[in-house]
Coordinates of all heavy atoms in Angstrom, one line a residue:
M367 N -97.8 -102.1 -51.7 CA -98.9 -101.6 -52.5 C -99.4 -100.3 -51.9 O -99.4 -100.1 -50.7 CB -100.0 -102.6 -52.6 CG -101.2 -102.1 -53.4 SD -102.6 -103.3 -53.5 CE -102.2 -103.8 -55.1
F368 N -99.9 -99.3 -52.7 CA -100.4 -98.1 -52.2 C -101.9 -98.2 -52.2 O -102.5 -98.8 -53.1 CB -100.0 -96.9 -53.2 CG -98.5 -96.7 -53.2 CD1 -97.7 -97.2 -54.2 CD2 -97.9 -95.9 -52.3 CE1 -96.4 -97.0 -54.2 CE2 -96.6 -95.7 -52.3 CZ -95.8 -96.2 -53.3
F369 N -102.5 -97.5 -51.3 CA -104.0 -97.4 -51.2 C -104.4 -96.0 -51.2 O -103.8 -95.1 -50.5 CB -104.5 -98.1 -49.9 CG -104.3 -99.6 -49.9 CD1 -103.2 -100.1 -49.3 CD2 -105.1 -100.4 -50.6 CE1 -102.9 -101.5 -49.3 CE2 -104.9 -101.7 -50.6 CZ -103.8 -102.3 -50.0
A370 N -105.4 -95.6 -51.9 CA -105.9 -94.3 -52.0 C -106.9 -94.0 -50.9 O -107.7 -94.9 -50.6 CB -106.6 -94.1 -53.4
S371 N -107.0 -92.8 -50.4 CA -107.9 -92.5 -49.4 C -109.3 -92.1 -50.0 O -109.4 -91.9 -51.2 CB -107.4 -91.3 -48.6 OG -107.4 -90.1 -49.4
A372 N -110.3 -92.0 -49.2 CA -111.6 -91.7 -49.6 C -111.8 -90.2 -50.0 O -112.7 -89.8 -50.7 CB -112.7 -92.1 -48.6
C373 N -110.9 -89.4 -49.5 CA -110.9 -87.9 -49.8 C -110.5 -87.7 -51.2 O -109.6 -88.3 -51.7 CB -109.9 -87.2 -48.9 SG -110.7 -86.3 -47.6
T374 N -111.1 -86.7 -51.9 CA -110.8 -86.4 -53.3 C -110.6 -84.9 -53.4 O -111.4 -84.1 -53.0 CB -111.9 -86.8 -54.2 OG1 -112.1 -88.2 -54.1 CG2 -111.5 -86.5 -55.7
S375 N -109.4 -84.5 -53.9 CA -109.2 -83.1 -54.2 C -108.8 -83.1 -55.7 O -108.1 -83.9 -56.2 CB -108.1 -82.5 -53.3 OG -106.9 -83.2 -53.5
T376 N -109.3 -82.1 -56.4 CA -109.0 -82.0 -57.8 C -107.8 -81.0 -58.0 O -107.9 -79.9 -57.6 CB -110.2 -81.5 -58.6 OG1 -111.3 -82.4 -58.3 CG2 -109.9 -81.4 -60.1
L377 N -106.7 -81.5 -58.6 CA -105.6 -80.7 -58.9 C -105.2 -80.9 -60.3 O -105.5 -81.9 -60.9 CB -104.4 -81.1 -58.0 CG -104.6 -81.0 -56.5 CD1 -103.5 -81.7 -55.7 CD2 -104.8 -79.6 -56.1
P378 N -104.5 -79.9 -60.9 CA -104.0 -80.2 -62.3 C -103.1 -81.4 -62.4 O -102.4 -81.7 -61.5 CB -103.2 -78.9 -62.6 CG -103.7 -77.9 -61.6 CD -104.1 -78.7 -60.4
I379 N -103.2 -82.1 -63.5 CA -102.4 -83.4 -63.6 C -101.0 -83.1 -63.8 O -100.1 -83.6 -63.1 CB -103.0 -84.2 -64.8 CG1 -104.4 -84.7 -64.4 CG2 -102.1 -85.4 -65.0 CD1 -105.1 -85.3 -65.5
N380 N -100.6 -82.3 -64.8 CA -99.2 -82.1 -65.1 C -98.8 -80.7 -64.7 O -98.4 -79.8 -65.5 CB -98.9 -82.4 -66.6 CG -99.8 -81.8 -67.6 OD1 -100.9 -81.4 -67.2 ND2 -99.5 -81.9 -68.8
D381 N -98.8 -80.4 -63.4 CA -98.4 -79.1 -62.9 C -96.9 -79.1 -62.5 O -96.4 -78.1 -62.0 CB -99.2 -78.7 -61.7 CG -99.1 -79.6 -60.5 OD1 -98.4 -80.7 -60.6 OD2 -99.6 -79.4 -59.4
G382 N -96.2 -80.2 -62.8 CA -94.8 -80.3 -62.5 C -94.4 -80.5 -61.1 O -93.3 -80.6 -60.7
S383 N -95.4 -80.7 -60.2 CA -95.2 -80.9 -58.8 C -94.6 -82.3 -58.5 O -95.1 -83.3 -59.0 CB -96.5 -80.7 -58.1 OG -96.4 -81.1 -56.7
P384 N -93.6 -82.4 -57.6 CA -93.1 -83.7 -57.3 C -93.9 -84.3 -56.2 O -93.6 -85.4 -55.8 CB -91.7 -83.3 -56.8 CG -91.8 -81.9 -56.2 CD -92.8 -81.3 -57.1
E385 N -94.9 -83.7 -55.7 CA -95.7 -84.2 -54.5 C -96.8 -85.1 -55.0 O -97.3 -85.0 -56.1 CB -96.3 -83.0 -53.8 CG -95.3 -82.1 -53.1 CD -95.9 -81.0 -52.4 OE1 -97.1 -81.1 -52.0 OE2 -95.2 -80.0 -52.1
D386 N -97.1 -86.1 -54.1 CA -98.3 -87.0 -54.4 C -99.5 -86.2 -54.5 O -99.7 -85.2 -53.9 CB -98.4 -87.9 -53.2 CG -97.2 -88.8 -52.9 OD1 -96.3 -88.8 -53.7 OD2 -97.2 -89.4 -51.8
R387 N -100.4 -86.6 -55.4 CA -101.7 -86.0 -55.5 C -102.8 -87.0 -56.0 O -102.4 -87.9 -56.7 CB -101.6 -84.8 -56.5 CG -101.2 -85.1 -57.9 CD -100.8 -83.8 -58.6 NE -100.3 -84.1 -60.0 CZ -99.1 -84.5 -60.3 NH1 -98.2 -84.7 -59.4 NH2 -98.8 -84.7 -61.6
K388 N -104.0 -86.6 -55.7 CA -105.1 -87.5 -56.1 C -106.0 -86.6 -57.0 O -106.3 -85.5 -56.7 CB -105.9 -88.0 -54.9 CG -107.0 -88.9 -55.3 CD -107.7 -89.5 -54.0 CE -108.8 -90.4 -54.4 NZ -109.4 -91.0 -53.2
V389 N -106.4 -87.2 -58.2 CA -107.3 -86.5 -59.1 C -108.5 -87.3 -59.4 O -108.4 -88.5 -59.7 CB -106.5 -86.2 -60.4 CG1 -107.3 -85.4 -61.4 CG2 -105.2 -85.5 -60.2
A390 N -109.7 -86.6 -59.3 CA -110.9 -87.3 -59.7 C -111.3 -87.1 -61.1 O -111.0 -86.0 -61.7 CB -112.0 -86.7 -58.8
F391 N -111.8 -88.1 -61.8 CA -112.2 -88.1 -63.2 C -113.6 -88.5 -63.4 O -114.1 -89.4 -62.7 CB -111.3 -89.0 -64.0 CG -109.9 -88.6 -64.1 CD1 -109.0 -89.0 -63.1 CD2 -109.5 -87.7 -65.1 CE1 -107.6 -88.6 -63.2 CE2 -108.1 -87.4 -65.2 CZ -107.2 -87.8 -64.2
S392 N -114.3 -87.9 -64.4 CA -115.6 -88.3 -64.8 C -115.4 -88.8 -66.3 O -114.8 -88.1 -67.1 CB -116.6 -87.1 -64.8 OG -116.8 -86.7 -63.5
C393 N -116.0 -89.9 -66.6 CA -115.8 -90.6 -67.9 C -117.1 -90.5 -68.7 O -118.2 -90.3 -68.2 CB -115.4 -92.0 -67.7 SG -114.0 -92.2 -66.6
T394 N -116.9 -90.6 -70.0 CA -118.0 -90.4 -71.0 C -119.1 -91.5 -70.8 O -120.2 -91.3 -71.2 CB -117.5 -90.4 -72.4 OG1 -116.8 -91.5 -72.7 CG2 -116.7 -89.1 -72.7
N395 N -118.7 -92.6 -70.2 CA -119.7 -93.7 -70.0 C -120.4 -93.6 -68.7 O -121.1 -94.5 -68.2 CB -119.0 -95.1 -70.0 CG -118.0 -95.3 -68.9 OD1 -117.8 -94.4 -68.1 ND2 -117.4 -96.5 -68.9
G396 N -120.3 -92.4 -68.0 CA -121.0 -92.2 -66.7 C -120.2 -92.6 -65.5 O -120.7 -92.3 -64.4
Q397 N -119.1 -93.3 -65.6 CA -118.4 -93.7 -64.5 C -117.5 -92.6 -63.9 O -117.1 -91.7 -64.6 CB -117.5 -94.9 -64.8 CG -118.2 -96.2 -65.1 CD -117.2 -97.4 -65.2 OE1 -116.2 -97.4 -64.6 NE2 -117.6 -98.4 -65.9
S398 N -117.2 -92.7 -62.6 CA -116.3 -91.8 -62.0 C -115.1 -92.7 -61.4 O -115.4 -93.9 -61.0 CB -116.9 -91.1 -60.8 OG -118.0 -90.3 -61.2
L399 N -113.9 -92.1 -61.5 CA -112.8 -92.8 -60.9 C -111.8 -91.8 -60.5 O -112.0 -90.6 -60.7 CB -112.2 -93.8 -62.0 CG -111.8 -93.2 -63.3 CD1 -110.4 -92.6 -63.3 CD2 -111.9 -94.3 -64.4
S400 N -110.7 -92.3 -59.8 CA -109.7 -91.4 -59.4 C -108.3 -92.0 -59.6 O -108.2 -93.3 -59.7 CB -109.9 -90.9 -57.9 OG -109.7 -92.1 -57.1
V401 N -107.3 -91.2 -59.7 CA -106.0 -91.7 -59.8 C -105.1 -90.9 -58.8 O -105.2 -89.7 -58.7 CB -105.4 -91.4 -61.2 CG1 -104.0 -91.9 -61.3 CG2 -106.3 -92.1 -62.3
R402 N -104.4 -91.7 -58.0 CA -103.4 -91.1 -57.1 C -102.0 -91.3 -57.7 O -101.6 -92.4 -58.1 CB -103.5 -91.9 -55.8 CG -102.6 -91.4 -54.7 CD -103.2 -90.2 -54.0 NE -102.2 -89.6 -53.1 CZ -102.3 -89.7 -51.8 NH1 -103.3 -90.4 -51.2 NH2 -101.4 -89.1 -51.0
F403 N -101.4 -90.1 -57.9 CA -100.1 -90.1 -58.5 C -99.0 -90.0 -57.5 O -99.1 -89.2 -56.5 CB -100.0 -88.9 -59.5 CG -100.9 -89.0 -60.6 CD1 -102.2 -88.4 -60.6 CD2 -100.5 -89.6 -61.8 CE1 -103.0 -88.5 -61.7 CE2 -101.3 -89.7 -62.9 CZ -102.6 -89.1 -62.8
F404 N -98.0 -90.8 -57.6 CA -96.8 -90.8 -56.7 C -95.6 -90.6 -57.6 O -94.8 -91.6 -57.9 CB -96.7 -92.2 -55.9 CG -97.9 -92.5 -55.0 CD1 -99.0 -93.2 -55.5 CD2 -97.9 -92.0 -53.7 CE1 -100.1 -93.5 -54.7 CE2 -99.0 -92.3 -52.9 CZ -100.1 -93.0 -53.4
P405 N -95.3 -89.3 -58.0 CA -94.2 -89.1 -58.9 C -92.8 -89.5 -58.5 O -92.0 -90.0 -59.3 CB -94.2 -87.6 -59.1 CG -95.5 -87.1 -58.5 CD -96.0 -88.1 -57.6
A406 N -92.5 -89.4 -57.2 CA -91.2 -89.8 -56.7 C -90.9 -91.3 -56.9 O -89.8 -91.7 -57.1 CB -91.0 -89.4 -55.2
Q407 N -92.0 -92.1 -56.8 CA -91.9 -93.5 -56.9 C -92.2 -94.0 -58.4 O -92.0 -95.2 -58.7 CB -92.8 -94.3 -56.0 CG -92.5 -94.1 -54.5 CD -93.1 -92.8 -53.9 OE1 -93.9 -92.2 -54.5 NE2 -92.6 -92.5 -52.7
G408 N -92.6 -93.1 -59.2 CA -93.0 -93.5 -60.6 C -94.2 -94.4 -60.7 O -94.2 -95.3 -61.5
V409 N -95.1 -94.2 -59.8 CA -96.3 -95.1 -59.6 C -97.6 -94.2 -59.6 O -97.6 -93.1 -59.1 CB -96.2 -95.9 -58.3 CG1 -97.5 -96.6 -58.0 CG2 -95.0 -96.8 -58.3
A410 N -98.6 -94.8 -60.2 CA -100.0 -94.2 -60.0 C -100.9 -95.4 -59.6 O -100.7 -96.5 -60.0 CB -100.5 -93.6 -61.4
V411 N -101.9 -95.0 -58.8 CA -102.9 -96.0 -58.4 C -104.3 -95.6 -58.9 O -104.8 -94.5 -58.6 CB -102.9 -96.2 -56.9 CG1 -104.0 -97.2 -56.4 CG2 -101.6 -96.6 -56.4
L412 N -104.8 -96.4 -59.8 CA -106.2 -96.2 -60.3 C -107.2 -96.8 -59.3 O -107.1 -97.9 -58.9 CB -106.3 -96.8 -61.7 CG -107.7 -96.9 -62.3 CD1 -108.2 -95.5 -62.7 CD2 -107.6 -97.8 -63.6
V413 N -108.2 -95.9 -59.0 CA -109.2 -96.4 -58.1 C -110.6 -96.3 -58.8 O -111.0 -95.3 -59.2 CB -109.3 -95.6 -56.8 CG1 -110.4 -96.1 -55.9 CG2 -108.0 -95.5 -56.1
R414 N -111.1 -97.5 -59.1 CA -112.4 -97.6 -59.9 C -113.3 -98.7 -59.3 O -112.8 -99.8 -59.0 CB -112.0 -98.0 -61.3 CG -113.2 -98.2 -62.2 CD -112.7 -98.6 -63.6 NE -113.8 -99.1 -64.4 CZ -114.1 -100.3 -64.6 NH1 -113.3 -101.3 -64.0 NH2 -115.1 -100.7 -65.3
N415 N -114.5 -98.3 -59.0 CA -115.5 -99.3 -58.4 C -115.0 -99.9 -57.1 O -115.1 -101.1 -56.8 CB -115.8 -100.4 -59.4 CG -116.5 -99.8 -60.6 OD1 -117.2 -98.8 -60.6 ND2 -116.4 -100.5 -61.7
G416 N -114.2 -99.1 -56.3 CA -113.7 -99.6 -55.0 C -112.5 -100.5 -55.1 O -112.0 -100.9 -54.1
Q417 N -112.0 -100.7 -56.3 CA -110.8 -101.5 -56.5 C -109.6 -100.7 -56.9 O -109.8 -99.7 -57.6 CB -111.0 -102.6 -57.5 CG -112.1 -103.6 -57.1 CD -112.2 -104.7 -58.1 OE1 -112.0 -104.6 -59.3 NE2 -112.6 -105.9 -57.6
T418 N -108.4 -101.0 -56.5 CA -107.2 -100.3 -56.8 C -106.4 -101.1 -57.8 O -106.3 -102.3 -57.7 CB -106.4 -100.0 -55.5 OG1 -106.0 -101.2 -54.9 CG2 -107.2 -99.1 -54.6
I419 N -105.8 -100.4 -58.7 CA -104.8 -101.0 -59.7 C -103.6 -100.2 -59.6 O -103.6 -99.0 -60.0 CB -105.4 -101.0 -61.1 CG1 -106.7 -101.8 -61.1 CG2 -104.4 -101.6 -62.1 CD1 -107.5 -101.7 -62.4
E420 N -102.5 -100.8 -59.3 CA -101.2 -100.1 -59.2 C -100.5 -100.2 -60.6 O -100.5 -101.2 -61.3 CB -100.2 -100.7 -58.2 CG -99.0 -100.0 -58.0 CD -98.1 -100.5 -56.9 OE1 -98.7 -100.9 -55.9 OE2 -96.9 -100.5 -57.1
L421 N -100.0 -99.0 -61.1 CA -99.5 -98.9 -62.4 C -98.1 -98.2 -62.3 O -97.9 -97.3 -61.5 CB -100.4 -98.0 -63.3 CG -101.8 -98.5 -63.4 CD1 -102.7 -97.4 -64.0 CD2 -102.0 -99.7 -64.2
Q422 N -97.2 -98.6 -63.2 CA -95.8 -98.1 -63.3 C -95.8 -97.0 -64.3 O -96.3 -97.2 -65.4 CB -94.8 -99.2 -63.5 CG -94.7 -100.3 -62.5 CD -94.3 -99.7 -61.1 OE1 -93.4 -99.0 -61.0 NE2 -95.1 -100.1 -60.1
Q423 N -95.0 -95.9 -64.1 CA -94.8 -94.9 -65.0 C -94.2 -95.3 -66.3 O -93.2 -96.1 -66.3 CB -94.1 -93.7 -64.4 CG -94.0 -92.5 -65.2 CD -93.4 -91.3 -64.5 OE1 -92.8 -91.5 -63.5 NE2 -93.7 -90.1 -64.9
Q424 N -94.6 -94.8 -67.5 CA -94.1 -95.2 -68.8 C -93.6 -93.9 -69.5 O -94.1 -92.8 -69.2 CB -95.2 -95.8 -69.7 CG -95.9 -97.0 -69.0 CD -95.0 -98.2 -68.9 OE1 -94.5 -98.7 -69.9 NE2 -94.8 -98.7 -67.7
S425 N -92.6 -94.0 -70.3 CA -92.1 -92.8 -71.1 C -93.1 -92.5 -72.2 O -93.5 -93.4 -72.9 CB -90.8 -93.1 -71.7 OG -89.7 -93.2 -70.8
T426 N -93.5 -91.2 -72.2 CA -94.5 -90.9 -73.2 C -94.3 -89.5 -73.8 O -95.2 -89.0 -74.5 CB -95.9 -90.8 -72.5 OG1 -95.9 -89.9 -71.5 CG2 -96.3 -92.2 -72.1
G427 N -93.2 -88.9 -73.6 CA -92.9 -87.5 -74.2 C -93.7 -86.5 -73.4 O -93.5 -86.4 -72.2
S428 N -94.5 -85.7 -74.1 CA -95.3 -84.6 -73.5 C -96.5 -85.1 -72.8 O -97.2 -84.3 -72.1 CB -95.6 -83.6 -74.5 OG -96.6 -84.1 -75.4
R429 N -96.9 -86.3 -72.9 CA -98.1 -86.9 -72.2 C -97.6 -87.6 -70.9 O -96.5 -87.7 -70.6 CB -98.7 -87.9 -73.1 CG -99.1 -87.3 -74.5 CD -99.7 -88.4 -75.3 NE -100.7 -87.8 -76.2 CZ -102.0 -87.7 -75.9 NH1 -102.5 -88.1 -74.8 NH2 -102.9 -87.2 -76.8
F430 N -98.6 -88.1 -70.2 CA -98.3 -89.0 -69.1 C -98.9 -90.4 -69.4 O -99.9 -90.5 -70.1 CB -98.8 -88.4 -67.7 CG -100.3 -88.3 -67.6 CD1 -101.0 -89.4 -67.1 CD2 -100.9 -87.1 -68.0 CE1 -102.4 -89.3 -67.0 CE2 -102.3 -87.0 -67.8 CZ -103.0 -88.1 -67.3
G431 N -98.2 -91.4 -68.8 CA -98.7 -92.8 -69.0 C -98.2 -93.7 -67.9 O -97.1 -93.5 -67.4
Y432 N -99.1 -94.6 -67.6 CA -98.8 -95.6 -66.5 C -99.4 -96.9 -67.0 O -100.5 -97.0 -67.6 CB -99.4 -95.2 -65.2 CG -98.8 -94.0 -64.6 CD1 -99.2 -92.7 -65.0 CD2 -97.8 -94.1 -63.6 CE1 -98.6 -91.6 -64.4 CE2 -97.2 -92.9 -63.1 CZ -97.6 -91.7 -63.5 OH -97.1 -90.5 -63.0
S433 N -98.7 -98.0 -66.7 CA -99.2 -99.4 -67.1 C -98.7 -100.4 -66.2 O -97.7 -100.3 -65.5 CB -98.7 -99.6 -68.6 OG -99.1 -100.9 -69.0
N434 N -99.4 -101.6 -66.2 CA -98.9 -102.8 -65.5 C -99.0 -103.9 -66.5 O -99.0 -105.1 -66.1 CB -99.6 -103.0 -64.2 CG -101.1 -103.4 -64.4 OD1 -101.6 -103.6 -65.5 ND2 -101.8 -103.6 -63.3
G435 N -99.1 -103.7 -67.7 CA -99.2 -104.7 -68.8 C -100.6 -104.8 -69.3 O -100.9 -104.4 -70.4
A436 N -101.5 -105.3 -68.4 CA -102.9 -105.5 -68.9 C -103.7 -104.3 -68.7 O -104.8 -104.1 -69.4 CB -103.6 -106.6 -68.0
N437 N -103.3 -103.3 -67.9 CA -104.1 -102.1 -67.6 C -103.2 -100.9 -67.9 O -102.0 -100.9 -67.6 CB -104.5 -102.1 -66.2 CG -105.3 -103.3 -65.8 OD1 -106.4 -103.6 -66.3 ND2 -104.7 -104.2 -64.9
R438 N -103.8 -99.8 -68.4 CA -103.0 -98.7 -68.8 C -103.9 -97.4 -68.6 O -105.1 -97.4 -68.9 CB -102.5 -98.8 -70.2 CG -101.7 -97.7 -70.7 CD -101.0 -98.0 -71.9 NE -101.9 -98.1 -73.1 CZ -101.5 -98.0 -74.3 NH1 -100.2 -97.8 -74.6 NH2 -102.4 -98.0 -75.3
I439 N -103.2 -96.3 -68.2 CA -103.8 -95.0 -68.3 C -102.8 -94.1 -69.0 O -101.6 -94.3 -68.9 CB -104.2 -94.4 -66.9 CG1 -102.9 -94.2 -66.0 CG2 -105.2 -95.2 -66.2 CD1 -103.2 -93.4 -64.7
R440 N -103.4 -93.2 -69.8 CA -102.5 -92.2 -70.5 C -103.3 -91.0 -70.7 O -104.6 -91.0 -70.8 CB -102.0 -92.8 -71.8 CG -103.0 -93.3 -72.8 CD -102.4 -94.1 -73.9 NE -103.5 -94.9 -74.6 CZ -104.3 -94.4 -75.5 NH1 -104.2 -93.1 -75.9 NH2 -105.2 -95.2 -76.1
G441 N -102.6 -89.9 -70.8 CA -103.3 -88.6 -71.1 C -102.5 -87.4 -71.2 O -101.2 -87.5 -71.2
K442 N -103.1 -86.3 -71.3 CA -102.4 -85.0 -71.4 C -103.4 -84.0 -70.8 O -104.6 -84.0 -71.1 CB -102.1 -84.7 -72.9 CG -101.3 -83.5 -73.0 CD -100.8 -83.3 -74.5 CE -99.9 -82.1 -74.6 NZ -99.4 -82.0 -75.9
G443 N -102.8 -83.1 -70.0 CA -103.7 -82.1 -69.4 C -104.8 -82.7 -68.5 O -104.5 -83.6 -67.7
N444 N -106.0 -82.4 -68.7 CA -107.1 -82.9 -67.9 C -107.8 -84.1 -68.6 O -108.8 -84.7 -68.0 CB -108.2 -81.8 -67.7 CG -107.6 -80.7 -66.9 OD1 -106.8 -80.9 -66.0 ND2 -108.1 -79.5 -67.1
D445 N -107.3 -84.6 -69.7 CA -107.8 -85.7 -70.4 C -107.1 -87.0 -70.0 O -105.9 -87.0 -69.9 CB -107.7 -85.5 -71.9 CG -108.6 -84.3 -72.4 OD1 -109.6 -84.1 -71.9 OD2 -108.1 -83.7 -73.3
L446 N -107.9 -88.1 -69.9 CA -107.4 -89.4 -69.5 C -108.1 -90.5 -70.3 O -109.3 -90.5 -70.5 CB -107.6 -89.6 -68.0 CG -107.1 -90.9 -67.4 CD1 -105.6 -90.9 -67.3 CD2 -107.8 -91.2 -66.1
T447 N -107.3 -91.4 -70.8 CA -107.8 -92.6 -71.5 C -107.4 -93.8 -70.5 O -106.3 -93.9 -70.1 CB -107.2 -92.9 -72.8 OG1 -107.5 -91.7 -73.7 CG2 -107.7 -94.1 -73.5
V448 N -108.4 -94.6 -70.2 CA -108.3 -95.7 -69.3 C -108.5 -97.0 -70.1 O -109.6 -97.2 -70.7 CB -109.2 -95.7 -68.1 CG1 -109.1 -96.8 -67.2 CG2 -109.0 -94.3 -67.3
E449 N -107.5 -97.9 -70.0 CA -107.7 -99.2 -70.7 C -107.5 -100.3 -69.6 O -106.4 -100.4 -69.0 CB -106.6 -99.4 -71.8 CG -106.7 -98.3 -72.9 CD -105.6 -98.4 -73.9 OE1 -105.0 -99.5 -74.0 OE2 -105.4 -97.4 -74.6
I450 N -108.5 -101.1 -69.4 CA -108.5 -102.1 -68.4 C -108.8 -103.5 -69.1 O -109.8 -103.7 -69.6 CB -109.6 -101.9 -67.3 CG1 -109.3 -100.6 -66.6 CG2 -109.6 -103.1 -66.3 CD1 -110.3 -100.2 -65.6
G451 N -107.7 -104.3 -69.1 CA -107.8 -105.6 -69.8 C -108.3 -105.4 -71.3 O -107.8 -104.5 -72.0
C452 N -109.2 -106.2 -71.7 CA -109.7 -106.1 -73.0 C -111.0 -105.3 -73.2 O -111.7 -105.3 -74.2 CB -109.9 -107.5 -73.6 SG -111.1 -108.5 -72.7
M453 N -111.3 -104.5 -72.1 CA -112.5 -103.6 -72.2 C -112.2 -102.5 -73.2 O -111.1 -102.1 -73.5 CB -112.8 -103.0 -70.8 CG -113.3 -103.9 -69.8 SD -113.5 -103.2 -68.1 CE -114.4 -101.7 -68.5
V454 N -113.3 -101.9 -73.7 CA -113.2 -100.7 -74.6 C -112.6 -99.6 -73.8 O -113.0 -99.4 -72.6 CB -114.6 -100.3 -75.1 CG1 -114.6 -99.0 -75.9 CG2 -115.2 -101.5 -75.9
P455 N -111.6 -98.9 -74.3 CA -111.0 -97.7 -73.6 C -112.1 -96.7 -73.2 O -113.0 -96.4 -73.9 CB -110.0 -97.1 -74.6 CG -109.7 -98.3 -75.5 CD -111.0 -99.1 -75.6
M456 N -111.9 -96.1 -72.0 CA -112.8 -95.1 -71.5 C -112.1 -93.8 -71.6 O -110.9 -93.6 -71.3 CB -113.1 -95.3 -70.0 CG -113.9 -96.6 -69.7 SD -114.3 -96.7 -67.9 CE -112.8 -97.0 -67.2
Q457 N -112.9 -92.8 -72.0 CA -112.4 -91.4 -72.1 C -112.9 -90.6 -70.9 O -114.1 -90.6 -70.7 CB -112.8 -90.7 -73.4 CG -112.4 -91.5 -74.7 CD -110.9 -91.6 -74.8 OE1 -110.2 -90.7 -74.6 NE2 -110.5 -92.8 -75.1
C458 N -112.0 -90.0 -70.2 CA -112.3 -89.3 -69.0 C -111.7 -87.9 -68.9 O -110.7 -87.6 -69.6 CB -111.8 -90.1 -67.8 SG -112.4 -91.8 -67.8
K459 N -112.3 -87.0 -68.1 CA -111.8 -85.7 -67.8 C -111.7 -85.5 -66.3 O -112.6 -85.9 -65.6 CB -112.6 -84.6 -68.5 CG -112.5 -84.5 -70.0 CD -113.0 -83.1 -70.4 CE -112.7 -82.8 -71.8 NZ -111.4 -82.5 -72.1
S460 N -110.7 -84.7 -65.9 CA -110.7 -84.4 -64.5 C -111.9 -83.5 -64.1 O -112.3 -82.7 -64.9 CB -109.4 -83.8 -64.1 OG -109.2 -82.5 -64.8
S461 N -112.4 -83.8 -63.0 CA -113.7 -83.1 -62.6 C -113.4 -82.0 -61.6 O -112.3 -81.8 -61.1 CB -114.7 -84.0 -62.1 OG -114.2 -84.9 -61.1

């Protein structure tokens, strides 16, 4: 399992870089979260409320998407939709 560090740097999401990166997001419901992308492994780790959720990369065409079945993130550019279990999806933007 991967763990995200407490440091946050904001980088473009789909800059084509093969390197690991962490992106901070602000959501319309007032929450903040971050996603650590590991492109070489096809994995992303969502960090929300101090908890981590590991997600596997999904084919999405021009968008990006990661899922572990019950939880999913998807987006394009700086926009992110977060779906956790049966909760209402959250709309977020990189900050």
Side-chain angles (χ1 to χ4, degrees):
M367 178 181 259
F368 294 97
F369 292 96
S371 67
C373 256
T374 301
S375 62
T376 303
L377 301 172
I379 294 170
N380 45 349
D381 64 355
S383 171
E385 296 180 19
D386 301 350
R387 62 194 178 278
K388 184 175 181 180
V389 183
F391 291 90
S392 296
C393 305
T394 55
N395 65 357
Q397 288 191 29
S398 296
L399 54 89
S400 64
V401 179
R402 181 79 187 258
F403 295 92
F404 299 91
Q407 293 84 13
V409 172
V411 177
L412 171 65
V413 181
R414 180 178 164 264
N415 296 331
Q417 296 186 328
T418 60
I419 301 172
E420 186 173 323
L421 307 165
Q422 299 297 314
Q423 190 170 17
Q424 308 290 302
S425 288
T426 60
S428 65
R429 302 177 148 271
F430 64 90
Y432 294 82
S433 176
N434 67 5
N437 306 294
R438 179 167 71 161
I439 62 171
R440 56 190 163 84
K442 186 172 185 176
N444 294 330
D445 296 323
L446 181 74
T447 300
V448 179
E449 299 174 22
I450 299 174
C452 58
M453 289 176 49
V454 173
M456 293 185 290
Q457 302 302 315
C458 308
K459 283 198 172 288
S460 60
S461 48

